[in-house]
Amino acid sequence: MHHNGLRTAILLGGLSALILAVGGWLGGGTGLQLAFVLAMASSGVAYFFSDRIALSAMRARQVSEVEQPMLYRIVRELSNEARQPMPRLYISPTVQPNAFATGRSPRQAAVCVTYGLTQLLNPDEMRGVLGHELSHVYNRDILVSSVAGALATMITWLSYVAVFFGGSDDDEGPGFVGALLMMVLGPVAAGMVQMAISRTREFQADESGARLTGDPLALASALRKIEMGARRLPLPENSRLTSASHMMIANPFSGSGFGRLFSTHPPTAERVARLERMAGYRR
């Protein structure tokens, strides 16, 4: 928890410094003052509304127990087993099978699964996936993940602002400054996510989720299905989705293009092998 809190503070400070640098570069003293206000507002939004940003990127809506009785039953059982509060449950209309958890803490947590996931997995496999996502909540790594995603979204947005406000002297286009920032800020956003999110967190969530459910092979089977489904139905690599992709249980993109810069997922084969070893398999 201490390390995640420190990384969150560093991320928020890094965003503020970047906004101040861009504001001073583009607008001098006036730009610096405006940038200071924007930096404070952006940090507040990233911290308090990061879960809403991620859920909005996936067009997710909160569902009731009447709509999704199986999901509620599984999450309630696992939450009671872990002696933790029940998170909010969301469904994304996305046909690609995937899932993620977001929020600042267990009391503000939300777990989202896609429509495609509900159609692909059997109850045991779904239990494995939900155990994995709840483990992200209980391991306290959803705060830094959620904030990193929100900051990446905002940095990408800054690159679009630079196009309009970093124009050339004759106002015929974005000019050199705007074009340069467009090229630089996207990789900067990806770099902030990469530095904040360790690939080991997925291994940790796999292990603790499998211990929570008592069925590592169910999660291994789910991961195989999810990877195949994600490859068959990759998500479009727009800025909102790429900034939230690190929170998902599997890489939602095709593995090429801009989205690969944000990849923080270890190979599925390695994750499956570790889970099989937990179940007593020897290769």
Side-chain angles (χ1 to χ4, degrees):
M1 291 179 62
H2 173 73
H3 290 308
N4 284 331
L6 179 60
R7 282 186 290 178
T8 301
I10 291 173
L11 281 172
L12 293 173
L15 173 68
S16 298
L18 179 62
I19 293 176
L20 290 172
V22 172
W25 187 13
L26 296 179
T30 302
L32 194 60
Q33 294 176 5
L34 294 175
F36 177 79
V37 174
L38 179 60
M40 295 300 99
S42 298
S43 296
V45 168
Y47 185 80
F48 290 105
F49 300 102
S50 56
D51 55 341
R52 299 185 188 182
I53 293 172
L55 293 166
S56 174
M58 292 296 290
R59 297 180 291 121
R61 67 178 183 87
Q62 191 168 1
V63 292
S64 67
E65 188 168 3
V66 174
E67 294 175 277
Q68 293 291 334
M70 182 185 74
L71 292 182
Y72 267 82
R73 175 179 57 80
I74 293 173
V75 173
R76 183 177 290 113
E77 289 175 356
L78 294 176
S79 298
N80 289 338
E81 179 70 21
R83 298 181 180 179
Q84 293 286 345
M86 176 91 174
R88 294 167 287 146
L89 298 184
Y90 287 78
I91 293 283
S92 165
T94 306
V95 294
Q96 181 194 99
N98 227 314
F100 66 94
T102 184
R104 302 194 308 276
S105 69
R107 293 194 177 279
Q108 286 84 35
V111 174
C112 176
V113 300
T114 64
Y115 172 78
L117 192 73
T118 65
Q119 300 302 298
L120 180 67
L121 303 186
N122 64 40
D124 288 340
E125 292 165 340
M126 182 64 77
R127 185 181 178 88
V129 168
L130 291 172
H132 170 99
E133 295 306 331
L134 289 173
S135 291
H136 277 309
V137 176
Y138 305 152
N139 292 343
R140 304 302 201 275
D141 59 25
I142 57 170
L143 172 60
V144 67
S145 299
S146 299
V147 169
L151 295 185
T153 298
M154 293 178 185
I155 293 172
T156 306
W157 176 78
L158 278 177
S159 67
Y160 294 118
V161 172
V163 170
F164 294 100
F165 294 97
S168 56
D169 293 338
D170 56 8
D171 293 327
E172 292 180 353
F176 175 76
V177 172
L180 180 62
L181 289 178
M182 275 288 287
M183 290 187 295
V184 170
L185 290 181
V188 167
M192 291 185 72
V193 171
Q194 292 277 11
M195 287 186 291
I197 308 301
S198 169
R199 290 192 174 198
T200 60
R201 78 186 189 103
E202 292 299 331
F203 293 131
Q204 292 168 350
D206 286 344
E207 180 178 352
S208 52
R211 294 188 187 282
L212 179 62
T213 63
D215 193 353
L217 294 182
L219 177 55
S221 176
L223 289 174
R224 290 192 193 96
K225 289 184 177 181
I226 292 170
E227 182 181 43
M228 288 188 292
R231 286 181 178 178
R232 187 169 63 252
L233 299 166
L235 296 186
E237 297 184 19
N238 61 50
S239 59
R240 297 179 72 192
L241 291 176
T242 54
S243 299
S245 63
H246 64 283
M247 289 187 285
M248 299 182 192
I249 194 170
N251 184 2
F253 304 123
S254 61
S256 61
F258 187 63
R260 72 181 185 275
L261 293 176
F262 288 81
S263 178
T264 57
H265 296 84
T268 298
E270 186 174 351
R271 296 171 67 181
V272 167
R274 287 175 177 235
L275 289 166
E276 290 178 342
R277 285 197 293 271
M278 284 186 66
Y281 283 25
R282 295 291 181 267
R283 296 193 176 190

